[in-house]
Amino acid sequence: MNWIALLLSLTLLVATHELGHLAFAKLFHTRVRRYYIFFNPWFSIIKAKKFGGKWHFLFFNSKTPDSWDEKNLAPEDQDNTLWGLGWLPLGGYCDIAGMVDETKNADDLESEPQPWEYRTKPAWQRLCIISGGVLVNFVSALLIYGMIFAHWGKDELPLRSASLGFDYHQVLLDEGFCNGDIIYAIDGKDYYEITDAASTLLLDNPQTVTVMRDDSLVDIAMSGRLLERVNNEGVKQLMNYRVPFVVHSAIDGGNAARAGLMAGDSIVSVDDSALAAFSDITAVFSDHADDTVSLGFYRAGEYMTLPVAIDGQGKIGVQVETNIALLFSGYRHVEYTFFEAIPAGIKHGWETLVTYVSSLKVLFSPGGTKQLGGFKAMADLFPDHWMWQAFWELTALLALVLAFMNIIPIPGLDGGHIFFTLVEIVTRRPPSEKFLTVAQNVGMFLLLALMILANGNDILRWLGFM
């Protein structure tokens, strides 16, 4: 299911990105010969074009008929775009007449520039056309976040409301953290969101972290090697909430049901040892596999005990409560009206983009390239069962990533075209078409190498070498 979600998300992102280019091209009366979602080497799944007053379609076609060529169409149909769906989901493209890009080089252009070509348009119009995809991706991400807030609202659990503290990865335990610590401040600055605290720990190389431990504030001196260790050891999550062990339901016929545990029971001790967190209790269960223990729990405010058998896998046969709203009193759900959701979505989208850009420094740290991931890493972001909220949240995130990556001035990406156009505006001298062809080829080579590296990392992780 996560692969289906990724494919649908990429389809939406590519479609809207290329529509941004097409819309500005049409606005400035520039011909777009082909609009493609996904690439189409050797054949296309669907081709469609309107001429002669009706739509024409081709399915699983490898060569477009000469009768579809604009040179063989009536004058009123020569400006019409061929719409296509390719089979290789590595991107998409608009074949804009008179533009050196991934679809053609300088030798493929008409011998004489035409008024409806990209190369004959003023630089400011070309800048709008080539920036259209980035603009649409960025705006659509902000709008998606706004719609998420309008429909689902926002859940908040401040760091200091996590009454049981957090479980930390070994790299943080080695820095001096203890499971159960609650982060209060980093280098003297207060923090309230888990995502902000985790990104600051990883990216800002802090010197001191202040935590609440056993009702006292404790300062932890950081080593400065956290990012290096995270890269080398492939750490995916630095910290997570410690949650209480609350029974959501006892599985019929299971040990817990036979012992008399019921939904809502909150386990707080094992064999008279007080244990508050789910992670601590399950660790004890694992140590007592095929054994019977005395569980202490609260039911409707009354403390009770029961002997419960643990199976060979260290389980007692319950489904645990995962609704954060029922587990923490400090949790709150914020509802937004439509007019409140839009600015909240814009703010959240911008903060997400800033965090993403800041995180790129990871790639330039020792072992940073190990963090690169390809399509499998992207698919793993999506849950393995369908969740609309998660789908739209990740689609908005990928839209921001796509917008930022395409603004980087690398030949072969929109950013390369934007950079050369800006240079032309400043110097009043356009680069030659031959230079653009060479730059395009170099950029495409770099992008191909990056794609091989990222997806190669996925394969190595799958094989267990990373």
Side-chain angles (χ1 to χ4, degrees):
M1 186 59 70
N2 55 357
W3 282 98
I4 293 174
L6 174 62
L7 183 61
L8 178 57
S9 179
L10 290 178
T11 302
L12 292 173
L13 295 176
V14 171
T16 53
H17 180 91
E18 300 304 333
L19 278 175
H21 293 309
L22 183 139
F24 277 102
K26 294 293 187 181
L27 177 64
F28 298 123
H29 307 290
T30 307
R31 285 186 184 176
V32 179
R33 292 193 168 107
R34 291 179 293 172
Y35 166 95
Y36 258 82
I37 299 174
F38 302 151
F39 294 132
N40 59 314
W42 303 298
F43 72 94
S44 301
I45 296 176
I46 301 174
K47 291 179 182 177
K49 189 170 184 177
K50 185 178 182 180
F51 57 88
K54 63 179 182 178
W55 282 94
H56 301 260
F57 296 89
L58 294 171
F59 299 92
F60 298 98
N61 172 263
S62 59
K63 179 176 173 55
T64 306
D66 292 339
S67 60
W68 285 36
D69 193 288
E70 64 184 49
K71 296 177 181 178
N72 299 320
L73 297 177
E76 64 271 16
D77 293 327
Q78 291 180 354
D79 193 34
N80 291 348
T81 299
L82 185 153
W83 303 78
L85 174 65
W87 60 270
L88 188 61
L90 299 181
Y93 65 91
C94 278
D95 179 2
I96 301 175
M99 179 180 179
V100 175
D101 59 9
E102 67 270 22
T103 65
K104 55 189 175 299
N105 57 40
D107 296 333
D108 297 323
L109 301 181
E110 303 286 346
S111 56
E112 292 295 328
Q114 302 297 320
W116 33 263
E117 287 187 322
Y118 175 86
R119 56 180 166 167
T120 62
K121 300 300 179 181
W124 70 270
Q125 292 186 6
R126 284 185 276 122
L127 184 63
C128 291
I129 293 172
I130 199 60
S131 302
V134 170
L135 178 63
V136 168
N137 283 141
F138 180 66
V139 172
S140 63
L142 301 185
L143 290 176
I144 290 173
Y145 280 126
M147 294 302 101
I148 290 172
F149 288 156
H151 185 75
W152 285 288
K154 182 181 179 182
D155 296 329
E156 296 181 349
L157 181 60
L159 286 169
R160 299 181 187 184
S161 295
S163 55
L164 300 182
F166 295 84
D167 284 323
Y168 296 95
H169 190 277
Q170 188 61 47
V171 295
L172 284 178
L173 296 177
D174 291 344
E175 293 284 341
F177 285 78
C178 293
N179 288 330
D181 287 350
I182 301 174
I183 295 176
Y184 264 54
I186 302 177
D187 282 341
K189 179 182 176 182
D190 288 351
Y191 279 80
Y192 300 96
E193 296 284 342
I194 184 173
T195 52
D196 293 340
S199 63
T200 300
L201 286 173
L202 184 63
L203 302 175
D204 292 354
N205 194 24
Q207 295 182 347
T208 305
V209 180
T210 302
V211 302
M212 176 64 72
R213 179 183 300 167
D214 298 329
D215 298 324
S216 299
L217 291 176
V218 177
D219 288 335
I220 300 172
M222 303 293 289
S223 68
R225 297 185 58 248
L226 182 61
L227 180 56
E228 180 182 352
R229 285 199 59 187
V230 166
N231 286 336
N232 290 335
E233 299 177 27
V235 178
K236 298 301 181 185
Q237 191 169 27
L238 284 175
M239 51 192 289
N240 203 1
Y241 291 103
R242 286 165 64 85
V243 298
F245 194 130
V246 178
V247 177
H248 175 74
S249 61
I251 298 173
D252 289 342
N255 293 343
R258 286 196 294 267
L261 283 179
M262 301 172 58
D265 290 347
S266 180
I267 299 173
V268 295
S269 70
V270 181
D271 286 339
D272 296 325
S273 296
L275 298 168
F278 172 82
S279 55
D280 294 337
I281 295 171
T282 53
V284 174
F285 285 173
S286 296
D287 293 337
H288 288 76
D290 290 323
D291 196 0
T292 298
V293 296
S294 175
L295 295 186
F297 57 93
Y298 281 96
R299 177 182 295 170
E302 181 182 355
Y303 182 77
M304 305 174 66
T305 60
L306 282 173
V308 180
I310 302 174
D311 66 20
Q313 296 179 326
K315 301 182 183 300
I316 61 173
V318 297
Q319 292 184 343
V320 297
E321 182 61 65
T322 58
N323 187 343
I324 297 295
L326 300 177
L327 298 177
F328 294 102
S329 59
Y331 163 91
R332 70 187 186 113
H333 179 75
V334 182
E335 293 285 351
Y336 295 88
T337 66
F338 176 81
F339 294 104
E340 292 172 336
I342 296 302
I346 293 173
K347 180 176 181 292
H348 180 76
W350 179 254
E351 291 173 347
T352 301
L353 178 60
V354 170
T355 300
Y356 170 75
V357 174
S358 299
S359 71
L360 293 179
K361 70 174 69 173
V362 172
L363 300 179
F364 302 98
S365 62
T369 55
K370 295 180 181 179
Q371 299 300 314
L372 280 173
F375 287 103
K376 184 180 184 303
M378 295 169 63
D380 288 343
L381 294 174
F382 291 85
D384 56 9
H385 58 285
W386 191 264
M387 293 177 60
W388 277 111
Q389 183 175 356
F391 171 79
W392 286 116
E393 287 176 348
L394 289 167
T395 297
L397 174 61
L398 292 177
L400 289 176
V401 172
L402 182 61
F404 177 77
M405 294 300 294
N406 268 284
I407 206 70
I408 298 175
I410 299 176
L413 293 176
D414 293 346
H417 294 287
I418 293 171
F419 175 76
F420 292 135
T421 305
L422 289 173
V423 170
E424 177 186 346
I425 291 174
V426 173
T427 64
R428 300 185 182 277
R429 293 181 58 187
S432 69
E433 291 169 352
K434 291 293 184 182
F435 171 80
L436 291 177
T437 298
V438 172
Q440 181 77 21
N441 291 336
V442 171
M444 294 303 294
F445 173 79
L446 293 175
L447 292 174
L448 180 61
L450 182 62
M451 186 174 297
I452 292 174
L453 175 61
N455 287 282
N457 283 347
D458 281 350
I459 295 173
L460 291 175
R461 292 189 193 99
W462 180 63
L463 294 175
F465 294 115
M466 288 182 65

